[in-house]
Amino acid sequence: MIRACCIGWPVTHVRSPLIHGFWLKEHAIRGEYGPEAVEPGQVDAFLRSLADRGYAGCNVTIPHKEAAFAAMDEVDPGAVAVGAVNTVWLDGGRLIGMNSDVIGFLKNLDDHVPNWEREVRHAVVLGAGGAARGIVHGLLSRGVETITVANRSLSKAEAIAASHPSSLRVADWASVPALLADADLLVNTTSLGMKGQPPLDLPLDTLKPTAIVSDIVYVPLVTDLLARAEARGHRTVEGLGMLLHQAVPGFEKWFGITPKVTRGLWEHVAADIRGT
Ligand code: ATR
């Protein structure tokens, strides 16, 4: 029996058990994946005892991603760029960590708009938290020339821009509508538009007609931003696909099979989201 888990605080609403449970059944693997509530301050100790607890590895969710990064013996370049780890496995007793959110975002974009890199020269990223940092890194790794990071608190956008001064610009929230005429890709990485959060109040009438619109929010499955973009004829990229794709590397490391993100999996998790 191979076991893995997801650590967070609180960890009651995580959907990764649904994803990994689906794949374990699909591949008839004798495995188990469940949530583990780990208190802040206990992350390092928990990760150091993964093997003793019978785990091959784990996912890490809010608010532990930075603490997990600090606890690793080795991390991938994506995790270094973001300063956060969401997938952990053991290699000869050493803790190895990666950030699969970046991969998840890119794979989801690839699925929805194949060859998007050929047309995206300028991207506008809304938000400057951990998710934005990862997405900026991912877009640059695929050759996007210019990225404007727009955030309510300008200093956080400036901090991201400082790491790539030649390709990144910053903008304050009020100037976003004016930026949209020149955007090939618009990505919302803020929590605005999520169930229980304020709406993302951004008029799209200035948005370049050929722009792709992506939202990492997946509750609701189709956010107001995506619905309005779709109504204007834009190609849209929903957030649930990113969640599904970010789960692939962990499953592969722990259970030894590369699982597929299928329509069946999407529907399985979507049904749970619709029921909330
Ligand atoms: P994550 O790590 O998932 O990106 P985060 O670090 O909490 O989460 O970042 C959330 C993002 O949503 C931030 O860019 C935040 O803006 P601030 O940096 O100004 O806080 C943005 N955000 C959240 N609520 C917002 C609101 N009401 N208006 C504008 N931006 C908001």
Side-chain angles (χ1 to χ4, degrees):
M1 169 74 79
I2 304 171
R3 294 171 66 229
C5 63
C6 178
I7 67 166
W9 185 265
V11 78
T12 36
H13 294 301
V14 290
R15 291 202 162 81
S16 42
L18 270 180
I19 303 172
H20 292 287
F22 182 94
W23 283 330
L24 286 170
K25 201 167 154 201
E26 183 175 55
H27 295 284
I29 295 171
R30 259 175 44 82
E32 221 174 65
Y33 182 103
E36 279 273 13
V38 176
E39 275 182 56
Q42 297 301 314
V43 176
D44 191 84
F46 186 92
L47 291 171
R48 294 272 149 218
S49 65
L50 268 181
D52 292 341
R53 293 169 188 268
Y55 286 124
C58 66
N59 281 128
V60 182
T61 190
I62 292 163
H64 294 333
K65 293 183 187 188
E66 286 81 13
F69 177 80
M72 294 297 108
D73 296 311
E74 194 182 318
V75 289
D76 81 323
V80 174
V82 189
V85 147
N86 76 335
T87 305
V88 175
W89 65 95
L90 288 160
D91 184 5
R94 299 177 75 237
L95 284 169
I96 319 286
M98 73 178 289
N99 192 310
S100 70
D101 288 332
V102 182
I103 293 168
F105 174 80
L106 292 173
K107 284 254 185 326
N108 190 37
L109 194 49
D110 291 340
D111 264 7
H112 285 78
V113 188
N115 300 316
W116 58 270
E117 304 98 313
R118 291 189 194 156
E119 55 182 291
V120 175
R121 304 180 70 151
H122 178 216
V124 172
V125 172
L126 306 177
R133 196 173 276 279
I135 286 166
V136 162
H137 170 76
L139 293 175
L140 291 174
S141 76
R142 291 289 195 91
V144 174
E145 285 168 23
T146 313
I147 303 175
T148 306
V149 181
N151 198 45
R152 176 178 61 178
S153 324
L154 199 59
S155 59
K156 280 171 73 182
E158 281 163 350
I160 295 184
S163 54
H164 309 276
S166 57
S167 349
L168 264 64
R169 301 177 192 155
V170 298
D172 59 27
W173 209 237
S175 54
V176 173
L179 288 171
L180 296 185
D182 180 38
D184 302 308
L185 171 67
L186 172 67
V187 187
N188 175 43
T189 77
T190 73
S191 49
L192 297 173
M194 191 188 294
K195 188 178 169 190
Q197 301 291 322
L200 174 57
D201 216 358
L202 176 65
L204 296 180
D205 29 305
T206 52
L207 183 59
K208 189 172 178 175
T210 54
I212 301 162
V213 179
S214 165
D215 200 335
I216 73 163
V217 172
Y218 57 86
V219 183
L221 293 162
V222 179
T223 60
D224 174 62
L225 171 71
L226 294 179
R228 287 188 292 118
E230 233 169 81
R232 282 175 44 92
H234 294 280
R235 289 158 296 169
T236 59
V237 186
E238 43 72 44
L240 178 55
M242 175 177 172
L243 178 77
L244 304 181
H245 279 290
Q246 66 75 33
V248 170
F251 192 91
E252 189 176 61
K253 292 290 179 197
W254 311 319
F255 301 114
I257 284 178
T258 307
K260 290 221 164 12
V261 173
T262 56
R263 190 70 200 168
L265 174 65
W266 196 94
E267 285 298 344
H268 180 65
V269 182
D272 184 70
I273 292 170
R274 287 192 195 103
T276 57

